[in-house]
Amino acid sequence: MVWVLFICGILAFLALDLGVFNREAHIVKPKEAAIWTSVWVLIAILFSGVIWWLFAEGKLPNPTGLEPRQALLHYITGYLIELSLSIDNVFVIAVIFRSFKIPELYQHRILFWGIIGAVLFRALMIVFGVALFNYFDWIIYVFGGFLLVTAFKMLKSEEGEFKPKESFIFQSLRKLYPFTAFMDGDRFFIRRRNLRIATPLFMALVIIEFTDILFALDSIPAVLSITSDPFLVFSSNILAILGLRSMYFLISGMMAKFRYIHYSLAFILAFVGLKLIIGHQVVLPEWISLVVIAFSLISGILFSLLIPIRQESSH
């Protein structure tokens, strides 16, 4: 019943979003984005009280034997991990929109359907990941190693190297659907000479969905390093994803200011990767993970805002 009520609540929020607050296509201004980002963060914080109550009253199966305080810390830490890794996702989404020249007027609609797809895909991946985590002890070393490799690649990657129109996904889509570079309002498909032709909006949506799956390959093992409780993994992941849309409109125009954030994200991935690998030998208190992740994220943001950008051409 708890799972059903939670999923129904998520669907209700999405229905209100599309059917009431954003029925008409419009450009999302920074002020509106800030308000909605605050709303989603507040909902996630308030839900932490629900987590405490569910575990205190025994309303959920508790396969890992968590006390209410432990469940609360695991939920908050998992949410913070997913929220921080979503920042990197925002940068990629902005590159995709620029590549396909998607007008700001239609970006919210693409992200709305992208969020729905992300919820479905992540639900499947979480179920599969938790099952692997609980039934195969050795999988934690695979997850840990994968996160360390990803952290190293994040440090070595160069900004702007992702080119959506040169990606395997885009080239494969063009073989399945005829593609037009022109848009017809907010339509994903148009018909010309009895042919169903994909517009740039559809291409951008599909590529965003696939890139989210790739990001989930990092974020879900990262959250699993904190807890393997299915409901905590799912709720923290989904509530962070629901705020991704408003977060995009809030910080997409300030991406140049967050030039140090990828160091924070790489450190977080490396930390949780090491935590998985040494977890059987060294058991860290729950609050340490929360403090390390929060400190890393805040440090990246502060360094980005406080350290002035140097003019490379002057050297």
Side-chain angles (χ1 to χ4, degrees):
M1 183 58 67
V2 172
W3 281 86
V4 171
L5 290 175
F6 179 77
I7 294 172
C8 288
I10 296 302
L11 295 176
F13 281 130
L14 292 173
L16 283 173
D17 189 329
L18 184 65
V20 178
F21 298 109
N22 294 285
R23 177 179 294 181
E24 300 294 333
H26 66 285
I27 296 174
V28 180
K29 300 295 184 181
K31 181 179 179 181
E32 180 184 353
I35 291 173
W36 277 108
T37 300
S38 301
V39 167
W40 285 117
V41 172
L42 179 61
I43 290 173
I45 293 173
L46 292 176
F47 193 75
S48 63
V50 177
I51 293 294
W52 177 285
W53 177 76
L54 289 173
F55 279 83
E57 297 296 326
K59 301 294 184 180
L60 275 172
N62 191 359
T64 55
L66 294 175
E67 297 179 357
R69 181 187 64 84
Q70 293 174 311
L72 179 63
L73 286 174
H74 288 181
Y75 164 77
I76 295 175
T77 307
Y79 174 77
L80 195 58
I81 288 176
E82 182 58 44
L83 194 67
S84 59
L85 294 178
S86 294
I87 295 175
D88 206 32
N89 205 352
V90 166
F91 297 159
V92 174
I93 291 172
V95 171
I96 294 171
F97 281 157
R98 287 200 303 268
S99 178
F100 288 98
K101 297 181 174 62
I102 304 298
E104 292 183 14
L105 185 64
Y106 305 129
Q107 290 179 4
H108 182 277
R109 184 168 188 263
I110 293 176
L111 290 177
F112 175 85
W113 292 110
I115 293 299
I116 291 180
V119 170
L120 295 175
F121 283 124
R122 290 191 180 223
L124 293 174
M125 295 177 70
I126 287 170
V127 170
F128 183 68
V130 170
L132 286 176
F133 206 83
N134 289 331
Y135 287 102
F136 301 102
D137 289 340
W138 52 267
I139 202 70
I140 62 174
Y141 301 108
V142 176
F143 283 170
F146 177 76
L147 292 176
L148 289 176
V149 171
T150 303
F152 177 76
K153 288 183 177 179
M154 187 175 290
L155 287 176
K156 300 289 290 185
S157 64
E158 297 180 0
E159 184 179 357
E161 66 176 343
F162 177 60
K163 298 179 180 179
K165 289 188 176 181
E166 296 180 9
S167 66
F168 173 78
I169 300 169
F170 178 73
Q171 298 300 328
S172 300
L173 279 174
R174 295 194 65 176
K175 295 177 183 179
L176 296 175
Y177 280 106
F179 168 68
T180 176
F182 301 98
M183 280 172 282
D184 185 3
D186 61 355
R187 298 171 66 183
F188 290 120
F189 295 97
I190 59 175
R191 282 200 172 273
R192 294 289 186 272
R193 298 178 182 178
N194 295 324
L195 286 178
R196 196 184 191 202
I197 303 175
T199 68
L201 270 68
F202 176 76
M203 291 297 190
L205 173 62
V206 174
I207 294 177
I208 286 174
E209 293 286 13
F210 273 95
T211 54
D212 181 76
I213 292 174
L214 295 178
F215 277 104
L217 293 177
D218 299 335
S219 63
I220 291 176
V223 177
L224 285 172
S225 72
I226 304 300
T227 180
S228 59
D229 182 274
F231 188 76
L232 293 179
V233 176
F234 182 72
S235 59
S236 62
N237 210 277
I238 298 306
L239 286 174
I241 285 296
L242 289 177
L244 176 61
R245 195 169 59 257
S246 54
M247 185 190 297
Y248 166 79
F249 292 108
L250 179 63
I251 70 174
S252 61
M254 304 183 293
M255 289 189 298
K257 294 183 179 180
F258 292 96
R259 61 196 184 281
Y260 292 116
I261 199 68
H262 70 282
Y263 293 110
S264 294
L265 303 182
F267 180 81
I268 290 172
L269 288 176
F271 171 75
V272 296
L274 287 173
K275 186 174 182 293
L276 278 173
I277 292 174
I278 67 174
H280 284 160
Q281 291 76 33
V282 180
V283 180
L284 297 176
E286 289 85 358
W287 62 269
I288 289 183
S289 298
L290 178 59
V291 170
V292 169
I293 292 166
F295 178 79
S296 176
L297 181 60
I298 293 171
S299 298
I301 294 174
L302 290 178
F303 279 124
S304 298
L305 296 177
L306 298 178
I307 298 179
I309 301 176
R310 295 181 179 179
Q311 299 295 330
E312 299 295 336
S313 57
S314 62
H315 295 286

